[in-house]
Amino acid sequence: MTTPETDAPFDAPWQAQLFGLTVALSDAGLFPWTDWTQALGAELKAGHPYWQAWLAALETLLAARGIALPDEVAALAHQWQEAAHGTPHGTPIRLENAPLSSCG
Amino acid sequence: MLARGTPTDRPVATRPRFAPGDRVRAINATPHHHTRLPRYLRGHTGTVEAEHGGFVLPDTNAHGQGEHPGRLYTVVFDGAEVWGAGAEPGLIISADLWEGYLDHA
Amino acid sequence: MPHDHHDHEHDNHLDPMDARVRALETILTRKGLIDPAAVDAIIDTYAHKVGPQNGAAVVARAWTDPDFADWLRRDATAAIAAMGFTGRQGEHMQAVFNTPDQHNVIVCTLCSCYPWTVLGLPPVWYKSPAYRSRVVLEPRAVLAEFGLELPTDTKVRVWDSTAELRYLVVPMRPEGTEGMGPEALAALVTRESMVGTGLPRVPA
């Protein structure tokens, strides 16, 4: 429970990115932090691993506010996967690299 | 970045229902908007230690309806009251609970 | 792997979580709700600039300055802000002082609330279901796993961070530190000692 390697707050860059997004959105006034702790607590109670729970909580808050609907997120996530497949190793992955990208 | 932060204390017009020293029981209901009331404390009796004034109530359904501040209290529970006779000796648990989560014991 | 990738130079694969986070960021940026540079600044702050060294400075000052200790006890938010430590998850602080009679431990059983301004972001163990569920039930057993054995007549008070108050444990000043200044003392104050799962180091 106390090994040093488990002391870092993030295990992967996407967790840090997710954390930053959440704090930025709350800073911008999209939701009070009390709503955030409530949403995170509800997802953790469902038994998800910590950062998956965090992502699910943010997706739930954004969907409830009509900001990012699940279909929209899933479609864009797919585009990001396509972009990753189309990006050589060692190069930053950019959404424009997705084939047939419809993003402007 | 660090200079900011978002205080969530708010004035509330109502008088406090409880005062330090009062015996209170955490409600046993499980409506989903009471998820900041831990399950392990529901139905248990403790003592109000401090009253903190009003704080924004967490309620994801309150979006667009404005804030709903509620009075917040630090309530102290005896370990044996919460867990029974098998509790670790000398255990004290405290939690910060909104007024609506509490009844007079 | 079900498929052979013929194009080995182009076989980056994103973790599904990673792809969803990128999707959210794309949507939010397009809608003008976030500024990616601001997100980067937040990450940098919490990954590198805020950490338990802040809390250690607060504790060391409390050990050496009785007036400050008194202020910290009465109004931790203001006393800590006066040292320059303000911000998110530090808006409503309470310092809880260990005594020979009572040892204090903090937890958030509902999620992972933690005093960011003084301790940085929580370590993995603090967020784990095991710590969150067990420390309110059998803190002595949990503390023993951290290597902390308390006298049997010491009460253990567990502070569950269920609302917006954030707690900082002020451990007792170790013996043998008389004459040490705040900076040397701060080096003895571990993160665990300010959560209550440990004690300060003793001087060598």
Side-chain angles (χ1 to χ4, degrees):
Chain A
M1 203 184 262
T2 58
T3 50
E5 59 266 33
T6 61
D7 273 1
F10 308 115
D11 300 327
W14 67 264
Q15 298 168 357
Q17 206 66 27
L18 176 59
F19 168 82
L21 279 179
T22 310
V23 173
L25 288 167
S26 186
D27 277 349
L30 255 76
F31 45 80
W33 201 253
T34 45
D35 281 13
W36 168 254
T37 52
Q38 164 122 326
L40 177 60
E43 295 295 340
L44 286 168
K45 199 162 69 176
H48 302 300
Y50 186 76
W51 286 105
Q52 285 186 36
W54 187 297
L55 177 56
L58 184 59
E59 288 179 339
T60 300
L61 281 181
L62 293 177
R65 285 158 176 73
I67 292 168
L69 300 174
D71 287 353
E72 194 183 356
V73 176
L76 259 175
H78 181 71
Q79 281 187 24
W80 271 107
Q81 287 287 10
E82 297 283 301
H85 288 302
T87 302
H89 271 307
T91 311
I93 299 165
R94 297 161 61 91
L95 196 54
E96 299 85 83
N97 293 343
L100 305 174
S101 169
S102 60
C103 344
Chain B
M1 197 59 54
L2 284 180
R4 286 193 297 176
T6 313
T8 49
D9 51 334
R10 299 288 184 274
V12 282
T14 55
R15 299 173 67 83
R17 275 177 65 209
F18 310 108
D22 284 1
R23 295 286 286 165
V24 290
R25 181 177 292 109
I27 58 172
N28 210 357
T30 54
H32 78 277
H33 57 280
H34 280 156
T35 52
R36 298 304 296 181
L37 171 58
R39 185 178 301 272
Y40 73 94
L41 293 176
R42 290 179 193 168
H44 290 286
T45 301
T47 303
V48 172
E49 183 178 74
E51 188 258 311
H52 300 289
F55 274 78
V56 175
L57 260 175
D59 182 352
T60 51
N61 297 320
H63 177 62
Q65 301 164 22
E67 296 177 344
H68 298 269
R71 218 170 267 282
L72 189 70
Y73 300 86
T74 297
V75 181
V76 178
F77 298 83
D78 182 67
E81 205 286 327
V82 175
W83 302 117
E88 280 190 359
L91 170 60
I92 302 162
I93 301 165
S94 66
D96 301 316
L97 304 175
W98 274 271
E99 195 164 78
Y101 299 179
L102 301 170
D103 284 321
H104 282 286
Chain C
M1 295 287 285
H3 303 291
D4 280 334
H5 286 283
H6 301 291
D7 195 355
H8 286 287
E9 288 170 16
H10 290 215
D11 62 353
N12 273 314
H13 181 75
L14 286 180
D15 180 289
M17 298 290 121
D18 192 336
R20 275 160 68 189
V21 172
R22 287 171 190 252
L24 284 181
E25 181 159 22
T26 303
I27 292 166
L28 295 166
T29 305
R30 285 179 186 166
K31 294 195 173 181
L33 293 169
I34 53 146
D35 169 7
V39 173
D40 286 348
I42 290 167
I43 295 166
D44 183 51
T45 295
Y46 287 103
H48 303 298
K49 295 182 182 154
V50 182
Q53 70 275 10
N54 292 3
V58 172
V59 169
R61 182 158 172 205
W63 284 347
T64 51
D65 178 347
D67 289 341
F68 180 79
D70 186 51
W71 189 15
L72 187 65
R73 201 183 299 273
R74 284 184 290 105
D75 187 352
T77 310
I80 291 168
M83 292 187 70
F85 309 135
T86 61
R88 185 169 286 281
Q89 298 302 292
E91 297 96 336
H92 306 286
M93 289 295 306
Q94 186 166 342
V96 294
F97 289 69
N98 285 349
T99 67
D101 294 331
Q102 179 174 301
H103 181 85
N104 298 289
V105 187
I106 59 176
V107 66
C108 171
T109 60
L110 294 170
C111 47
S112 52
C113 297
Y114 193 72
W116 294 357
T117 50
V118 282
L119 296 185
L121 298 181
V124 167
W125 58 260
Y126 184 85
K127 300 179 287 192
S128 71
Y131 178 76
R132 289 166 37 226
S133 61
R134 288 182 56 216
V135 81
V136 288
L137 173 63
E138 44 174 6
R140 282 175 192 278
V142 172
L143 298 185
E145 291 167 25
F146 278 86
L148 174 55
E149 303 270 1
L150 295 169
T152 50
D153 56 349
T154 299
K155 289 189 169 67
V156 179
R157 175 162 174 176
V158 183
W159 300 74
D160 192 351
S161 313
T162 48
E164 297 311 301
L165 299 180
R166 296 291 170 265
Y167 295 99
L168 176 71
V169 174
V170 180
M172 287 186 288
R173 181 171 173 168
E175 289 179 18
T177 59
E178 300 76 9
M180 288 175 71
E183 280 184 24
L185 287 168
L188 304 176
V189 184
T190 61
R191 167 169 56 196
E192 280 70 22
S193 73
M194 294 181 281
V195 178
T197 53
L199 296 180
R201 298 185 187 96
V202 288

